[in-house]
Amino acid sequence: MFSTAFLDLPPLASVQGSVQLPGSKSISNRVLLLAALSQGTTEVRDLLASDDTRVMLDALRQLGCTVDEAGGGTVRITGLGSSTPPSPTQLFMGNAGTAMRPLTAALALLGGEYELSGVPRMHERPIGDLVDALRQLGCRIDYLGNQGFPPLRIAHAGGLPPLQLQAPIRVRGDVSSQFLTALLMALPLVARQQDVVIEVVGELISKPYIHITLELLARFGIAVRHEQWQRFTIPAGSRYQSPGLIHVEADASSASYFIAAGAIAAGASGQKGIKILGVGLDSIQGDIRFVEAAQAMGARVTGGPNWLEVARDTWPLKAIDLDCNHIPDAAMTLAVMALYARGTTVLRNIASWRVKETDRIAAMTCELRKLGATVEEGADYLRVTPPAQSGDWRAASIHTYDDHRVAMCFSLAAFNPAGLPVRIEDPKCVAKTFPDYFEALFQVAQTDADRIPVICIDGPTASGKGTVAAAVARALGYHFLDSGALYRITALAATRAGLEISPDNEPRIAELARQLPVRFAGDRIWLGEEDVTDAIRTEQAGMNASRVSALPAVRGALVALQHGFRRLPGLVADGRDMGTVIFPQAPLKVFLTASAACRAERRYKQLISKGISANIADLRADLEARDARDANRSASPLKPAQDALVLDNSEHTIDEAVMQVIDWWQARQPFGA
Ligand code: DC
């Protein structure tokens, strides 16, 4: 996940390959509860790992289910069958509405005493309509705080009271469909002798979510009948039957970004667009109908039971005029696709956007305009006309309003024909449904290497460049190349192979360097099977690296490896010749230096803090010797690139140096303040 303040997306060109989407939140928690109410073991695959599912899994354990988290999204749940959970039990539901509501209904119909509470925000989320429906049945439920809100107590210490199952149970359908879902999932517990009927009062909203509930109940052996979505009948004799194995579909709204990318981006040469895994054309989620809208705009979409394949077909896309009531979330993606259409796209019947994570009509209007589009916003519609020509596109910093969908759909603006970057503010807001969204995008998107930004930070030994470069990389969400480590590892590999570091052995050491089995994993560095992080950091290893790096053939052998670090979304590279030789076109080059006295003192403190004894005068002599060799060698001598900005940090803290580099970087970006 990117937890940086902003994430700059370089202009993107094409997509190829496949992407596995995370499981749907709505489906994940429904499946867990149904598995818990069944007899026997259900293996759930591709479960979403999120706060909401964590809460549900913990609650199910407390209630006596065996929960075996096998890893890789697979969880095996052994259900309660006919046993009753331990009671009294106190359950903490965090802020997981998808756990709170259905568990309240299920526990109220299982017998026993339970208290359900959550974080303060949970105690502001209504549950009164559900409690009213359960009380009609004869359940005894007390509010422990405010009337109509959690926390609450289900007071069936003496067992389940007699229930009134003859009359239909009435529940409001116009506030949240989650109350109806909760009843539908729990009432089969008591539909033994007679049919149980639920009547919806008021117009039922969010029918697609009730559709998901009914489909999943069917997978667990419960065939609910309904008349016009107003009257639902759970037939007498219903019993939860585990399907044994069940896959959680990927989130169909999340699929919309990759469907759009496939429709917008040219496929890489010889490729057929992008494959999306985890959700297919037979999906039970309403947002899968986004596929039809994308096709109407010109996408070529094919698919099977658990996959979709999307490629660009009509280009530019066709503008559409669409009632989007059936795909409210995914329709935001259409608003960004409209930037690539000929003509004006109108999205209608989207009033619900105004009451989502943010006022999405206002947000989309404001951000689309920043990119150069002409946008008309209505109470319940949006008209989007793209920038007239490629020169009318603007580089924009997209505000994301703590709304995951705003962040994800605007990433698609990076495919703009003007080759402009796009800045996404607060990229971590995608965590709500898709924590690794940007990683997934970078995995399937390509662009010319020279469009991927590189910041070079070169300088003499102990100037602090490694620390500064790593911090700059963290702040920008960029990859990090410690090129010195490659010379240190080469020297280590040579020593291990019994090769003396001398010009005589140059071809053999170069051969070693070319095939270096090096792997950077977090802050550890591996050479083959060995963690060499500490072994390459000794003074001796630094000296050997300096000697090995003076061999031109070795330097040549490491070039391709270093270029390979230039990956989306960007790179910060530190070394001696990053700006002069390896990335001569880099848009920012910094030469970080400090006086020899100052660097010797820093190195001294560093060693002492690690418990290694040292002598300042010796250290200074050593690093002056290394400087001299690095600066005087014939191959890529250490010197600032002509266009480098020199930063002497003798008097600066690391933080100040980092801030200076980021300021220089920001000043070169096209985004306004
Ligand atoms: O940055 P460092 O101290 O880890 O580098 C070790 C040696 O490797 C250094 O003395 C010079 C050499 N080096 C180089 O020649 N070119 C680079 N880009 C990085 C390091």
Side-chain angles (χ1 to χ4, degrees):
M1 188 169 79
F2 286 88
S3 355
T4 47
F6 56 84
L7 176 62
D8 290 347
L9 308 178
L12 301 175
S14 57
V15 289
Q16 90 176 43
S18 60
V19 58
Q20 172 76 50
L21 302 178
S24 144
K25 182 172 81 164
S26 319
I27 296 179
S28 291
N29 263 358
R30 283 173 175 79
V31 165
L32 289 180
L33 182 62
L34 291 172
L37 296 175
S38 302
Q39 186 122 37
T41 301
T42 307
E43 180 163 319
V44 185
R45 300 242 179 106
D46 305 321
L47 189 77
L48 172 68
S50 72
D51 293 346
D52 281 24
T53 48
R54 171 63 31 223
V55 163
M56 182 64 105
L57 288 168
D58 291 346
L60 297 183
R61 271 201 189 93
Q62 258 187 289
L63 294 171
C65 297
T66 307
V67 177
D68 164 21
E69 298 187 55
T74 297
V75 178
R76 281 182 281 271
I77 311 270
T78 305
L80 290 171
S82 48
S83 57
T84 16
S87 160
T89 298
Q90 297 200 334
L91 295 162
F92 182 74
M93 304 277 94
N95 195 16
T98 57
M100 181 79 195
R101 278 75 177 258
L103 270 175
T104 298
L107 293 174
L109 299 176
L110 274 168
E113 187 171 302
Y114 311 96
E115 276 184 26
L116 294 98
S117 65
V119 298
R121 172 73 187 141
M122 173 65 97
H123 297 171
E124 295 168 3
R125 298 174 66 181
I127 197 164
D129 290 327
L130 176 63
V131 170
D132 289 348
L134 292 166
R135 282 177 174 169
Q136 275 173 57
L137 272 171
C139 295
R140 286 196 287 275
I141 302 176
D142 307 319
Y143 294 115
L144 302 175
N146 292 330
Q147 296 295 305
F149 298 86
L152 48 81
R153 179 194 298 116
I154 298 164
H156 296 164
L160 202 57
L163 299 178
Q164 325 284 322
L165 295 166
Q166 278 71 26
I169 299 142
R170 293 164 63 80
V171 64
R172 281 180 63 179
D174 54 355
V175 176
S176 163
S177 66
Q178 282 192 22
F179 302 142
L180 177 57
T181 280
L183 291 172
L184 286 167
M185 290 206 295
L187 282 167
L189 282 169
V190 292
R192 296 271 150 74
Q193 318 295 339
Q194 79 264 51
D195 288 359
V196 176
V197 176
I198 309 170
E199 267 180 19
V200 176
V201 182
E203 174 78 8
L204 178 63
I205 58 166
S206 312
K207 292 190 188 82
Y209 287 103
I210 299 302
H211 176 71
I212 293 176
T213 306
L214 298 186
E215 287 284 332
L216 294 176
L217 277 163
R219 299 290 306 279
F220 280 84
I222 314 266
V224 178
R225 299 190 300 272
H226 73 90
E227 288 139 55
Q228 315 299 326
W229 301 99
Q230 289 303 123
R231 192 181 155 91
F232 295 80
T233 305
I234 297 161
S238 286
R239 274 181 69 108
Y240 302 97
Q241 274 157 4
S242 166
L245 172 67
I246 187 162
H247 284 266
V248 173
E249 275 186 22
D251 187 86
S253 322
S254 301
S256 73
Y257 313 111
F258 294 96
I259 295 171
I264 294 166
S269 54
Q271 295 287 327
K272 289 198 308 286
I274 182 175
K275 191 155 183 179
I276 299 163
L277 304 175
V279 62
L281 292 173
D282 62 347
S283 166
I284 59 174
Q285 301 168 69
D287 267 358
I288 196 63
R289 294 191 57 201
F290 174 82
V291 167
E292 295 159 26
Q295 285 168 326
M297 292 191 83
R300 182 148 45 82
V301 186
T302 49
N306 219 19
W307 58 273
L308 299 167
E309 200 160 84
V310 189
R312 195 204 249 195
D313 193 7
T314 309
W315 190 257
L317 297 177
K318 288 177 275 188
I320 52 170
D321 185 327
L322 189 71
D323 181 325
C324 299
N325 191 38
H326 60 300
I327 47 168
D329 285 355
M332 293 168 74
T333 312
L334 296 174
V336 182
M337 284 175 82
L339 293 169
Y340 302 94
R342 195 192 297 281
T344 300
T345 290
V346 190
L347 307 177
R348 298 182 194 277
N349 204 356
I350 52 171
S352 68
W353 281 21
R354 295 226 180 255
V355 293
K356 291 291 172 77
E357 278 81 345
T358 182
D359 177 342
R360 286 177 166 171
I361 295 186
M364 295 302 286
T365 303
C366 175
E367 305 309 311
L368 285 165
R369 282 182 183 152
K370 284 187 194 167
L371 290 164
T374 306
V375 186
E376 180 189 319
E377 119 179 60
D380 65 346
Y381 71 89
L382 204 62
R383 295 169 74 89
V384 184
T385 310
Q389 296 169 4
S390 118
D392 296 323
W393 279 78
R394 300 279 165 264
S397 181
I398 302 295
H399 189 68
T400 51
Y401 310 85
D402 201 14
D403 184 340
H404 52 140
R405 299 210 180 281
V406 174
M408 292 190 278
C409 69
F410 274 96
S411 67
L412 298 166
F415 292 99
N416 67 80
L420 296 168
V422 177
R423 171 167 291 182
I424 304 291
E425 296 171 14
D426 188 27
K428 69 177 179 313
C429 68
V430 300
K432 177 139 196 213
T433 46
F434 201 160
D436 292 333
Y437 172 72
F438 292 106
E439 287 85 344
L441 177 66
F442 297 145
Q443 190 193 312
V444 292
Q446 299 88 42
T447 197
D448 290 343
D450 59 11
R451 290 189 149 176
I452 300 176
V454 180
I455 301 175
C456 298
I457 303 187
D458 287 306
T461 196
S463 62
K465 64 189 178 340
T467 317
V468 170
V472 171
R474 262 197 310 280
L476 298 174
Y478 285 180
H479 299 281
F480 169 52
L481 166 61
D482 169 4
S483 62
L486 302 181
Y487 292 97
R488 288 170 182 264
I489 293 167
T490 303
L492 185 74
T495 320
R496 294 274 162 87
L499 294 171
E500 191 199 336
I501 300 172
S502 73
D504 291 349
N505 285 325
E506 185 169 350
R508 294 181 63 189
I509 302 176
E511 200 43 41
L512 271 180
R514 210 181 314 280
Q515 305 185 4
L516 215 53
V518 58
R519 196 158 51 82
F520 290 79
D523 58 357
R524 309 306 293 177
I525 304 176
W526 294 76
L527 179 62
E529 294 303 301
E530 187 188 351
D531 180 342
V532 295
T533 320
D534 299 323
I536 62 166
R537 287 293 153 211
T538 64
E539 290 305 289
Q540 183 61 43
M543 246 338 167
N544 290 343
S546 171
R547 289 164 54 215
V548 94
S549 70
L551 305 172
V554 173
R555 302 197 74 84
L558 288 172
V559 170
L561 181 58
Q562 295 175 80
H563 284 168
F565 280 81
R566 187 173 200 170
R567 293 195 301 269
L568 287 169
L571 174 66
V572 183
D574 94 68
R576 304 292 187 287
D577 61 344
M578 297 297 98
T580 48
V581 177
I582 304 295
F583 301 110
Q585 309 298 335
L588 176 62
K589 300 173 188 173
V590 176
F591 193 83
L592 190 66
T593 184
S595 68
C598 176
R599 288 184 285 133
E601 192 182 313
R602 285 184 194 164
R603 178 61 46 95
Y604 175 79
K605 284 190 185 146
Q606 206 177 38
L607 291 173
I608 295 295
S609 75
K610 286 191 204 154
I612 304 169
S613 66
N615 169 305
I616 293 204
D618 290 352
L619 283 171
R620 181 167 170 170
D622 269 6
L623 64 86
E624 282 178 335
R626 263 173 78 187
D627 285 355
R629 180 174 13 227
D630 293 348
N632 295 322
R633 68 187 178 212
S634 60
S636 318
L638 169 68
K639 64 166 195 288
Q642 253 182 351
D643 50 348
L645 299 171
V646 177
L647 179 58
D648 184 327
N649 78 349
S650 306
E651 306 292 324
H652 290 151
T653 64
I654 291 289
D655 285 350
E656 285 166 342
V658 171
M659 260 164 36
Q660 177 62 74
V661 175
I662 289 177
D663 282 354
W664 279 334
W665 181 243
Q666 292 276 42
R668 290 172 184 221
Q669 302 313 305
F671 315 111

